[in-house]
Amino acid sequence: MDPAYDPQRWESFYVMTGGAAAALTGLLFVAMSLHSKAITSHPVYGGRAVGTLVGLMAQLFLAGAVLVPGQTVTAIGVEVEVVALYFLVTTWRAILNMRKRGIAPAPGRLRSRIELIGASIWMVLFVVSGVSLIAQTGGGFYLLAVVMLFMFGWNVYVAWVLITEIAD
């Protein structure tokens, strides 16, 4: 079987990403609990904190889905697609809600542009990886691996921004 569509060949990778996501979730939960009042009372930080924790939990879910013995590639693809579409919808709703409340990041700021570009690339790759697994063409688990690593990096970045901005 092509390694791009053979979940057994990816076992070590998903054990690693699931373990890393679990460890970071615990550390982030502790760090955020130290500043819980500041995070929950701020109109932007609360959403970022929840989004980061949900993102890490999604990585745990996806790693677990790939590691379920005997599950078909199509079933894994459907699970990936459900999670990808969930993030697409919730991210879009969060952006619209922030704009409606007048608290959206300034589009002219370099950091805001970089975050928007990064999130857009991640979302597209995420949706495409689910479709790729369902159709069993276009990269499969290789594409999902890129998504998982990007997602992990993105969550670390957002967590770092959150913690450093709260600490100021």
Side-chain angles (χ1 to χ4, degrees), residues 15 22-23 41 53 60 64 88 90 93 101 117 132 146 148 152 161:
V15 167
S41 66
L53 289 171
L60 284 168
L88 186 65
T90 56
R93 289 170 109 187
R101 293 170 53 198
I117 290 167
S132 173
V146 170
M148 293 289 280
F152 191 75
V161 168

Side-chain angles (χ1 to χ4, degrees), residues 57-140:
M57 292 305 297
Q59 285 188 283
L60 284 168
F61 171 79
L62 292 172
V66 174
L67 294 171
V68 171
Q71 188 165 219
T72 67
V73 175
T74 303
I76 296 169
V78 168
E79 293 162 354
V80 169
E81 198 61 27
V82 166
V83 175
L85 292 175
Y86 166 80
F87 274 100
L88 186 65
V89 169
T90 56
T91 300
W92 183 252
R93 289 170 109 187
I95 290 169
L96 292 177
N97 188 29
M98 288 174 68
R99 285 187 178 165
K100 186 187 298 183
R101 293 170 53 198
I103 56 173
R109 288 183 35 211
L110 179 61
R111 189 166 114 197
S112 296
R113 285 184 181 176
I114 290 170
E115 287 181 0
L116 180 62
I117 290 167
S120 299
I121 291 169
W122 173 68
M123 291 289 178
V124 168
L125 288 174
F126 204 177
V127 170
V128 170
S129 70
V131 171
S132 173
L133 287 166
I134 293 167
Q136 296 188 26
T137 186

Side-chain angles (χ1 to χ4, degrees), residues 45 48 111 115 156-167:
Y45 297 156
R48 278 188 169 221
R111 189 166 114 197
E115 287 181 0
V156 169
Y157 165 76
V158 172
W160 178 256
V161 168
L162 178 68
I163 297 302
T164 57
E165 286 182 1
I166 289 294

